[in-house]
Amino acid sequence: MKKNIAYTLLALALIITTATSCRKDREIGGTSVEAMSGDWWVQIDGEGSYYTYYTYNTSANSKTEMILDDQEGFWGSASLGRVAGKVNVDLNTLTFSCKDAPNLNKDYDDASFTVTDGKILKNAATAPGTGIKTDSIDFKIEFADDPGTVYHLKGYKRTRFTEDDH
């Protein structure tokens, strides 16, 4: 009798363990602005030296804004720090803009900026080294500490292939 109870309890434990281990893992989704996020290589008017820019979600993971960040690549420098701020986005048209966005780098407050005509086009660029299709980015930016000078930046999304890096 004791053997039957032991076998029954063992079988019950195996059934419970098997049933609970069959749960599916949760599907982890992306961020709200995933379609517009990335590392970018940009040039002034599409010519000359390449600079890095980054676009990514805010901490609130908002569908209406993202961070535009030069990581000291374009306007910022090692002495000034980076210029980064929130820009308004339209996920339907993949466009972005802002007016007098404050710099999130509090060590360099004078670098508020305005972005106009910002857009991302899916698979509209060709990476120069590998020749593969990637997204393009195009926007105009004006910095408060250089009023009247509007930089037209154009570029492509980083592919992570060394042949396409600058």
Side-chain angles (χ1 to χ4, degrees), residues 26-157:
R26 290 186 194 177
E27 188 173 318
I28 299 173
T31 66
S32 293
V33 293
E34 182 177 12
M36 298 179 74
S37 297
D39 303 355
W40 305 90
W41 291 110
V42 298
Q43 299 171 293
I44 298 172
D45 293 323
E47 298 177 355
S49 298
Y50 280 91
Y51 303 94
T52 54
Y53 258 93
Y54 303 89
T55 55
Y56 50 90
N57 64 300
T58 64
S59 60
N61 200 24
S62 169
K63 292 180 179 181
T64 60
E65 61 186 9
M66 70 179 177
I67 305 292
L68 181 65
D69 187 344
D70 80 346
Q71 290 280 320
E72 299 178 8
F74 180 67
W75 198 248
S77 66
S79 62
L80 298 174
R82 71 189 217 221
V83 175
K86 294 179 183 178
V87 296
N88 302 312
V89 301
D90 182 334
L91 290 171
N92 294 321
T93 59
L94 300 179
T95 57
F96 58 98
S97 64
C98 66
K99 177 132 178 78
D100 297 323
N103 186 11
L104 298 177
N105 175 8
K106 296 304 179 195
D107 295 330
Y108 186 37
D109 287 332
D110 294 338
S112 65
F113 59 92
T114 297
V115 172
T116 56
D117 301 325
K119 63 185 168 218
I120 293 171
L121 300 171
K122 293 295 184 181
N123 295 313
T126 302
T130 59
I132 64 172
K133 286 292 194 185
T134 188
D135 298 346
S136 73
I137 191 168
D138 189 317
F139 61 99
K140 294 175 183 165
I141 189 165
E142 179 180 2
F143 297 94
D145 57 350
D146 187 17
T149 304
V150 178
Y151 297 92
H152 185 192
L153 300 178
K154 299 178 184 182
Y156 66 96
K157 191 172 192 176

